[in-house]
Amino acid sequence: MSGSLGRPRPEVVLCPGGPALIRSDVPAVDVVVTDAQQTVDRPVVAFCRCGRTGREPWCDGTHKLARGAGAPRKLPRSDR
Amino acid sequence: MLLPRPRGPLSARLRRLLLDGVEEIDDLETATEGHASSVPPDSVLHDEDLQLSLWMIYELSFRGFDDVDDRWEWAPEIAGLRTVLERPFEQWLRDVTEGWVSRTLAVEGDVADKIFALTDGFDEGPDLSRFIRKEATPDHVRDFLRQRSIYHLKESDPHTFVIPRLTGPAKAHLVELQYDEYGGGRPGFLHHELFAVTLREAGLDDAYGAYIEEADGPTLAATNAMSLLCLHRRLRGVAMGHLAAFEATSSIPCRRIAAGLRRTGFSDDAARYYDEHVEADAVHEQLAAREICGTLVDSGDVSVRDVVFGAAACLVLDRYQSESLMARWDGAHTPDQLEAAR
């Protein structure tokens, strides 16, 4: 592709306390996913980083049930 | 889809206006004003006459009705009635979420931290997804699917109206999310099409709006809220906050509901919609909270308060929907009796 914009580069976003979001046109993902059944068909995928997912390698939101560093912050108590 | 049966004087007159165009519009506006101003604030949710009227007006902007001229969508009379009906609904949403909004705004961190703190700490009421996983009968499941069909058969459509109202990264990420919702360009895999498969597999009607006559107040209000937020440019931040909370409270419940469907004998194809959401919404919650709401707030385009209000509104409406279903299943009318009466 010509011009100064070029192609969008693969992008990795590390979500604090959550998964790694990966935007790529597949090669970066192929390296990690060895199971032939695990094809990538989303424009962006979320890789589990907490090790608790039931759908390895994908995030299934389970990190939110964890206590400690990955847990969401606490709401202040209600005044009522 | 045909216009539904009215549930009170307001929806009856609106229906006549849309079908025959013969209603005295000044009278109808006055009556609507009177109705809207006399609804006690805590009854807006359960006022099915008001909620159904709003739903009929909003649907003119989505699939329309086979028995209504499409030109009514932009008719000034309809815009006037919509404004009158939206006012008490929006005010109720603001009032009922006020406590949650102030507590969430006090959470340290960025807007995503606040959204996740709210979705984690919110009192969600009866745990509907756990009930479906462990105890629900096939009739309970079908009852649940019928109520959910009102929104799930148009899933994501309201949010598409927000795209042209955004700019920069938030716009790119909303489109990315919507592309996934719409099946990544593969017909048959749009999420609302996957839900239609669920309905068919459960022996239910997959036609758009097929169960509108059964939709309760909270179900109508939940779908109306999305139309309200997504059809007004001034509420774009609220709409995106709602989306973030919706996605952030989806993966884990969807896993339970998929398990419940299989436990009660429904097929893998029936569970597919929920399976898909476990994985998709783990991505979407991050996209919505961080890359859509986060960048919108950082750019100064919308306020944190708007985003948090939208998130709280989503959770409150979801709780009312769960309470309504669970109360019905708990009460004298079991789904079997309802089925028999149908």
Side-chain angles (χ1 to χ4, degrees):
Chain A
M1 185 182 284
S2 60
S4 58
L5 271 175
R7 287 174 59 80
R9 288 187 301 183
E11 185 180 54
V12 178
V13 180
L14 302 180
C15 304
L21 298 183
I22 300 193
R23 292 189 175 85
S24 125
D25 43 7
V26 175
V29 171
D30 270 352
V31 173
V32 187
V33 184
T34 52
D35 183 342
Q37 298 304 309
Q38 299 275 24
T39 54
V40 172
D41 49 13
R42 296 182 196 290
V44 54
V45 292
F47 278 88
C48 171
R49 294 202 298 153
C50 74
R52 293 182 178 87
T53 183
R55 303 203 165 207
E56 214 172 2
W58 315 120
C59 172
D60 67 356
T62 307
H63 58 270
K64 287 184 291 188
L65 302 177
R67 294 285 162 255
R73 299 186 186 196
K74 293 283 167 226
L75 282 181
R77 283 173 190 281
S78 170
D79 297 335
R80 277 174 284 175
Chain B
M1 175 172 59
L2 298 174
L3 274 176
R5 279 197 296 268
R7 298 202 197 174
L10 203 57
S11 47
R13 296 185 68 175
L14 175 62
R15 192 171 188 278
R16 276 199 298 275
L17 175 71
L18 293 173
L19 285 178
D20 310 324
V22 292
E23 271 293 320
E24 256 323 309
I25 192 64
D26 289 346
D27 279 1
L28 179 52
E29 261 187 21
T30 311
T32 309
E33 282 274 11
H35 186 105
S37 59
S38 66
V39 180
D42 56 356
S43 301
V44 170
L45 178 80
H46 297 288
D47 186 332
E48 295 185 7
D49 195 20
L50 183 149
Q51 293 293 348
L52 185 71
S53 299
L54 254 185
W55 181 85
M56 284 156 64
I57 291 175
Y58 286 138
E59 280 309 308
L60 296 170
S61 297
F62 290 93
R63 307 278 184 98
F65 299 94
D66 296 339
D67 48 354
V68 175
D69 187 328
D70 282 340
R71 283 176 294 188
W72 278 112
E73 180 192 0
W74 289 95
E77 301 93 319
I78 290 297
L81 295 176
R82 189 175 106 172
T83 306
V84 171
L85 293 171
E86 283 176 333
R87 208 173 291 139
F89 185 37
E90 184 179 340
Q91 192 56 53
W92 174 78
L93 282 171
R94 290 189 185 278
D95 293 345
V96 80
T97 52
E98 199 182 334
W100 291 107
V101 170
S102 12
R103 288 170 66 192
T104 306
L105 289 173
V107 172
E108 281 186 27
D110 59 22
V111 69
D113 291 323
K114 293 184 202 302
I115 291 169
F116 289 126
L118 174 63
T119 55
D120 183 57
F122 187 80
D123 172 12
E124 62 185 16
D127 196 332
L128 183 60
S129 65
R130 197 163 268 142
F131 178 80
I132 290 174
R133 186 182 72 177
K134 292 186 169 171
E135 297 175 50
T137 65
D139 280 334
H140 287 132
V141 171
R142 275 190 282 268
D143 203 20
F144 165 77
L145 296 175
R146 281 193 289 265
Q147 291 295 323
R148 287 297 197 258
S149 70
I150 306 305
Y151 176 64
H152 286 345
L153 287 176
K154 67 190 272 196
E155 185 163 310
S156 304
D157 287 343
H159 307 103
T160 302
F161 282 112
V162 182
I163 295 170
R165 279 101 187 244
L166 305 184
T167 55
K171 183 180 212 160
H173 294 308
L174 177 57
V175 171
E176 186 175 50
L177 191 157
Q178 293 292 88
Y179 181 66
D180 205 23
E181 293 281 347
Y182 288 142
R186 290 158 300 162
F189 290 88
L190 282 76
H191 286 180
H192 63 73
E193 291 179 329
L194 294 180
F195 192 75
V197 172
T198 301
L199 290 172
R200 289 197 296 274
E201 288 290 311
L204 298 172
D205 191 343
D206 68 346
Y208 187 84
Y211 295 106
I212 192 61
E213 307 285 2
E214 294 175 41
D216 58 22
T219 294
L220 291 170
T223 189
N224 283 342
M226 278 184 262
S227 303
L228 165 73
L229 304 181
C230 293
L231 289 170
H232 287 272
R233 185 182 177 280
R234 74 182 164 89
L235 296 173
R236 62 196 180 284
V238 188
M240 294 297 96
H242 182 292
L243 173 66
F246 195 91
E247 301 288 357
T249 49
S250 173
S251 288
I252 295 168
C254 281
R255 193 171 58 200
R256 294 185 187 134
I257 295 167
L261 259 68
R262 291 189 169 93
R263 179 185 58 75
T264 45
F266 292 98
S267 67
D268 284 343
D269 281 349
R272 172 69 183 266
Y273 168 89
Y274 291 99
D275 289 336
E276 161 67 12
H277 282 76
V278 175
E279 206 174 285
D281 292 348
V283 181
H284 295 174
E285 66 178 352
Q286 302 295 339
L287 285 181
R290 296 178 193 286
E291 303 197 300
I292 299 174
C293 294
T295 58
L296 274 177
V297 168
D298 288 348
S299 70
D301 188 40
V302 306
S303 69
V304 185
R305 178 175 281 277
D306 270 4
V307 169
V308 169
F309 163 45
C314 171
L315 300 176
V316 164
L317 288 162
D318 194 54
R319 184 175 71 190
Y320 279 113
Q321 287 181 92
S322 300
E323 281 175 352
S324 174
L325 268 179
M326 297 287 278
R328 209 162 77 196
W329 295 342
D330 239 11
H333 298 290
T334 66
D336 296 315
Q337 288 170 321
L338 288 170
E339 193 65 41
R342 211 167 273 137

